[in-house]
Amino acid sequence: MKHAFLLFVLGICSLHTFAQQKDPPMGDFRTIIGQQVPSFSFEIEKGKKVNIRDYKGKYVLINFFATWCPPCNQELPLAQKQIWEKHKDNPKFAFIVFGREEGWEKLNPFREKKGFTFPLLPDLDRSIFSLFAPNGIPRNVVIDPAGKIIYQSFGYEEAEFDKLVKLIDSKL
C-alpha cells in the first residue's frame, strides 16, 4: 500500500513537472516578441471555423492549457476573474484558450464544472500549439491589434501573471 501511494505521489509530481518547468530551455519559444503571429484557423464553436487574422484590430490573449495540468488549473480561475470578467465586453479584446490535445467532449464539461465563461477551444493535434512552442504549458501569448506578438509567458508564477494582467489593463 505504501508503494502504491508513493507511486501515486510521484505520478502527480511528474505531471506538474511535465506541464511546467522552472527555467524553459533556449529555443522554447518558436515565435518571438515583435514577430507577426503565424496564421492559423480554429473552431470557435463546434463546426464553425475562424482564422486568427479575423481578430486583427484587437488585443488577443491566447492561452494554452490542459485539463490535467496543475499550474494551468491555478492560472485559469485567475484569468477568469482578473482578465476575462474585466475585459470581456471590450470590443478591442479577445481571449482564446486552447486545450492542448483535448476535444469538445472533454473541454465543454470541464468549462461547465469550473464555471468558466471564456471560450475553451480544442487543439487536438497540437497544430496550433506547435506554432508557438515545442512543449510545456501553461503558455500565454498576447497579440496587438496589428497582429504582432507583444508578450509571451511559460508556466504559471504569480509575479508573471500579475505582469500579464497589468499589460492587458494598460492596453485596454
Side-chain angles (χ1 to χ4, degrees):
M1 189 64 170
K2 286 181 187 177
H3 293 288
F5 179 73
L6 180 60
L7 286 173
F8 173 76
V9 170
L10 288 173
I12 294 297
C13 290
S14 67
L15 279 177
H16 183 272
T17 302
F18 179 72
Q20 170 178 308
Q21 302 166 357
K22 197 70 171 158
D23 296 312
M26 292 302 288
D28 195 55
F29 294 103
R30 293 198 170 134
T31 55
I32 56 172
I33 292 175
Q35 178 180 329
Q36 195 72 21
V37 68
S39 182
F40 60 90
S41 294
F42 55 95
E43 273 190 320
I44 192 66
E45 56 189 58
K46 197 168 182 119
K48 181 181 177 192
K49 281 202 161 205
V50 296
N51 189 287
I52 193 63
R53 303 273 186 241
D54 298 335
Y55 290 82
K56 210 161 196 169
K58 298 181 181 209
Y59 283 95
V60 180
L61 170 57
I62 299 173
N63 174 280
F64 294 99
F65 91 108
T67 57
W68 53 263
C69 164
C72 302
N73 280 297
Q74 279 183 279
E75 183 178 70
L76 284 179
L78 297 173
Q80 170 75 33
K81 285 184 176 35
Q82 297 178 36
I83 298 171
W84 181 245
E85 288 178 8
K86 191 186 300 183
H87 300 293
K88 67 183 177 188
D89 295 325
N90 188 327
K92 295 181 184 219
F93 177 69
F95 184 29
I96 305 168
V97 182
F98 289 106
R100 192 180 76 174
E101 297 178 5
E102 296 181 312
W104 295 111
E105 71 287 342
K106 190 175 252 184
L107 295 173
N108 287 337
F110 178 81
R111 182 175 182 249
E112 239 178 76
K113 177 182 173 189
K114 297 288 188 172
F116 296 142
T117 57
F118 49 76
L120 285 179
L121 310 174
D123 184 17
L124 278 172
D125 59 0
R126 288 191 185 199
S127 60
I128 299 166
F129 176 80
S130 67
L131 297 171
F132 295 90
N135 56 39
I137 49 176
R139 286 193 182 266
N140 289 292
V141 179
V142 178
I143 303 162
D144 75 6
K148 292 204 187 291
I149 296 168
I150 60 169
Y151 173 89
Q152 291 190 97
S153 68
F154 167 65
Y156 170 74
E157 289 184 4
E158 187 177 334
E160 188 64 32
F161 185 79
D162 290 345
K163 201 168 132 181
L164 170 64
V165 171
K166 285 177 184 160
L167 171 68
I168 290 171
D169 287 348
S170 75
K171 299 298 183 183
L172 300 173

